[in-house]
């Protein structure tokens, strides 16, 4: 049987892309804040309903750069239930990650457990809107305000997510996005940093261009994360079809929920009222006792049927060798995160998934 992959990249129309490439060739301007770069930043601000954005070459460098721009040092409170780049961005800045357990209702950092992890060295909180599920941004901000901490959201999964009509990207001091090929919206490789004022945007633009603030002035040890014109043009085209892609994902999510609602031992998240979800992932959680098989038994049985799920996130970041020696990485500090990591499978989810594919995945799980 044909393979059903866990994801599939959203690709622009090739003829339309060719037309834009022709424009770029004619202009002979291929990178360094060219016209497509400017147009993509403006179009993303409009789509995402945010005032300022800076493009980056991937979703990891904006995390690293945000920490630098806010001069974060010492310890940062974060979640172990994420992609490893979240914590790596702290390591690259010489910051000690402090892992806090997650809320089983969302998979996001549990606000009830943040205060106990704060020490005199804590300078910031780095939460993740995991699977695009909004964090409790109000409670996190209240804690940050009480202790004078910055908040940087890793919003790599949260492209286009809104709460009561407001972009989730407005929360905290800054938010980062990833436009990697596997994400809801992609520029092949790419990412962005979202900020709230023009001064910060300017500083970030210096930092992603070696720290250059003018022809002869370097104001900081900046990195190179400039996005070229080809990726910017590709991004402009993909932005036009991202709403259709999200709608197709929603139909797949609804079909999964309908098909799996009576399967004992399988649970999943439902939509939250007031939230515009992006259906970036469809995680299910396997209760081995009730389901009759372990998560890994199901995962490998699916693979035998050529249905590729993904154990995402497993293992936890706190289990990798770089981080497992940290006191906060102790498994008894993170019981909920361990339970989720050991029971999760992300089912195939992308814009081109057909209802027949969804039904094949459901049947695989039922049998
Ligand atoms: C994808 C992802 C990143 C990193 O993005 P890249 O574009 O691959 O560098 C960071 N955090 C999370 C949660 C991600 O899923």
């Amino acid at each position: 049987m044909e393979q059903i992959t866990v994801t599939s990249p959203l690709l622009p129309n090739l003829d339309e892309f060719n037309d834009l490439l022709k424009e770029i060739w004619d202009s002979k301007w291929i990178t360094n804040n060219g016209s497509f770069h400017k147009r993509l930043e403006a179009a993303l601000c409009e789509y995402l309903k945010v005032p300022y954005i800076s493009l980056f070459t991937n979703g990891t460098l904006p995390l690293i750069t945000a920490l630098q721009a806010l001069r974060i040092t010492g310890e940062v409170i974060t979640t172990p239930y994420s992609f490893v780049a979240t914590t790596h961005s702290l390591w690259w800045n010489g910051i000690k990650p402090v892992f806090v357990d997650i809320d089983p209702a969302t998979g996001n950092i549990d606000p009830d457990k943040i205060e106990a992890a704060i020490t005199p060295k804590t300078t910031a909180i780095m939460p993740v809107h995991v699977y695009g599920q909004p964090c409790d941004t109000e409670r996190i901000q209240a804690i940050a305000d009480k202790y004078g901490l910055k908040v940087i959201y890793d919003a790599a999964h949260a492209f286009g997510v809104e709460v009561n009509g407001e972009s989730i990207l407005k929360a905290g001091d800054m938010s980062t996005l990833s436009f990697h090929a596997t994400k809801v919206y992609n520029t092949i490789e790419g990412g962005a940093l979202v900020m709230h004022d023009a001064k910060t945007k300017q500083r970030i633009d210096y930092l992603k261009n070696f720290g250059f603030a003018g022809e002869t002035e370097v104001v900081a040890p900046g990195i190179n994360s400039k996005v070229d014109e080809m990726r910017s043009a590709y991004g402009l085209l993909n932005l036009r079809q991202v709403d259709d892609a999200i709608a197709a994902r929603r139909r797949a999510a609804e079909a999964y929920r309908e098909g799996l609602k009576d399967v004992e031992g399988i649970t999943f998240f439902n939509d939250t009222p007031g939230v515009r979800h992006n259906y970036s992932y469809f995680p299910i959680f396997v209760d081995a006792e009730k389901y009759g098989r372990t998560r890994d038994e199901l995962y490998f049985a699916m693979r035998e049927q050529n249905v590729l799920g993904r154990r995402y996130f497993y293992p936890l970041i706190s289990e990798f060798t770089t981080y497992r020696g940290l006191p906060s990485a102790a498994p008894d500090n993170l019981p909920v995160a361990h339970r989720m990591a050991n029971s999760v499978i992300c089912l195939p989810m992308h814009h081109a998934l057909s209802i027949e594919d969804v039904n094949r995945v459901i049947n695989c799980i039922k049998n």
Side-chain angles (χ1 to χ4, degrees):
M1 259 192 285
E2 215 178 305
Q3 195 168 64
I4 303 180
T5 53
V6 68
T7 184
S8 176
L10 184 66
L11 289 164
N13 177 284
L14 191 53
D15 290 329
E16 285 180 350
F17 188 43
N18 253 321
D19 290 344
L20 298 190
L21 288 178
K22 175 84 172 58
E23 262 185 65
I24 295 167
W25 255 245
D26 289 345
S27 76
K28 298 190 175 59
W29 189 310
I30 58 176
T31 188
N32 282 23
N33 201 23
S35 80
F36 282 102
H37 185 286
K38 288 185 185 131
R39 280 162 65 186
L40 181 57
E41 284 194 345
L44 283 168
C45 280
E46 195 186 323
Y47 181 85
L48 296 168
K49 303 184 188 167
V50 297
Y52 300 99
I53 197 166
S54 288
L55 299 182
F56 277 74
T57 51
N58 58 56
T60 303
L61 284 164
L63 288 166
I64 292 173
T65 306
L67 291 162
Q68 289 211 340
L70 294 168
R71 299 190 172 81
I72 304 301
T73 57
E75 296 177 3
V76 169
I77 289 171
T78 189
T79 168
Y81 195 76
S82 179
F83 183 62
V84 71
T86 312
T87 310
H88 279 354
S89 72
L90 300 172
W91 189 93
W92 276 94
N93 279 287
I95 294 163
K96 181 176 170 185
V98 176
F99 296 114
V100 162
D101 208 5
I102 58 173
D103 178 351
T106 61
N108 292 326
I109 195 165
D110 186 343
D112 283 337
K113 297 185 180 142
I114 292 176
E115 281 196 78
I118 296 174
T119 76
K121 289 186 180 157
T122 309
T123 55
I125 308 170
M126 184 178 271
V128 180
H129 304 293
V130 87
Y131 308 129
Q133 306 237 90
C135 287
D136 189 340
T137 54
E138 273 175 36
R139 287 204 45 213
I140 291 170
Q141 196 57 54
I143 296 166
D145 290 345
K146 184 170 162 192
Y147 292 89
L149 309 175
K150 302 288 187 192
V151 185
I152 300 165
Y153 282 99
D154 180 341
H157 296 181
F159 187 89
V161 172
E162 294 175 11
V163 180
N164 301 323
E166 278 254 18
S167 170
I168 193 77
L169 303 169
K170 290 201 168 153
D173 292 277
M174 287 193 228
S175 295
T176 68
L177 292 164
S178 167
F179 304 152
H180 181 254
T182 54
K183 307 292 200 295
V184 168
Y185 168 79
N186 83 83
T187 60
I188 310 174
E189 293 276 352
L193 192 46
V194 172
M195 62 289 285
H196 312 315
D197 63 89
K199 212 174 135 215
T200 307
K201 152 92 173 145
Q202 173 143 89
R203 184 164 163 75
I204 295 298
D205 284 344
Y206 295 160
L207 287 175
K208 76 169 194 197
N209 184 23
F210 309 99
F212 273 107
E215 203 182 317
T216 54
E217 195 188 1
V218 170
V219 293
I223 197 83
N224 176 5
S225 196
K226 291 180 276 99
V227 175
D228 63 70
E229 289 291 278
M230 290 72 162
R231 284 199 179 80
S232 302
Y234 176 108
L236 271 174
L237 293 177
N238 252 357
L239 196 55
R240 289 190 204 150
Q241 49 175 0
V242 72
D243 278 336
D244 288 345
I246 291 173
R249 286 168 173 272
R250 177 167 45 75
R251 289 191 291 274
E254 282 165 359
Y256 275 137
R257 285 172 185 155
E258 184 57 30
L260 294 172
K261 67 179 197 297
D262 297 324
V263 182
E264 184 146 25
I266 300 290
T267 53
F268 45 80
F269 296 124
N270 283 303
D271 284 1
T272 311
V275 174
R276 184 209 188 221
H277 291 276
N278 66 5
Y279 309 94
S280 47
Y281 300 89
F282 195 85
I284 61 165
F285 301 94
V286 182
D287 179 330
E289 231 162 81
K290 287 190 191 146
Y291 180 62
R293 272 195 288 180
T294 66
R295 184 274 307 269
D296 284 350
E297 282 168 349
L298 173 58
Y299 172 73
F300 289 110
M302 283 166 59
R303 284 225 321 212
E304 265 169 43
Q305 305 280 319
N306 238 349
V307 172
L308 306 185
R310 189 174 171 202
R311 289 170 292 179
Y312 194 66
F313 295 101
Y314 166 85
L316 294 175
I317 300 175
S318 51
E319 290 296 297
F320 293 126
T321 46
T322 317
Y323 306 115
R324 62 181 310 153
L326 292 168
S328 66
D332 56 2
N333 184 45
L334 308 165
V336 179
H338 274 273
R339 218 181 313 133
M340 279 184 83
N342 289 328
S343 62
V344 70
I345 302 178
C346 282
L347 300 183
M349 173 53 82
H350 55 82
H351 66 285
L353 200 67
S354 68
I355 292 302
E356 292 73 47
D357 289 341
V358 170
N359 286 335
R360 221 178 99 197
V361 179
I362 291 167
N363 285 332
C364 208
I365 296 164
K366 280 185 166 168
N367 307 314

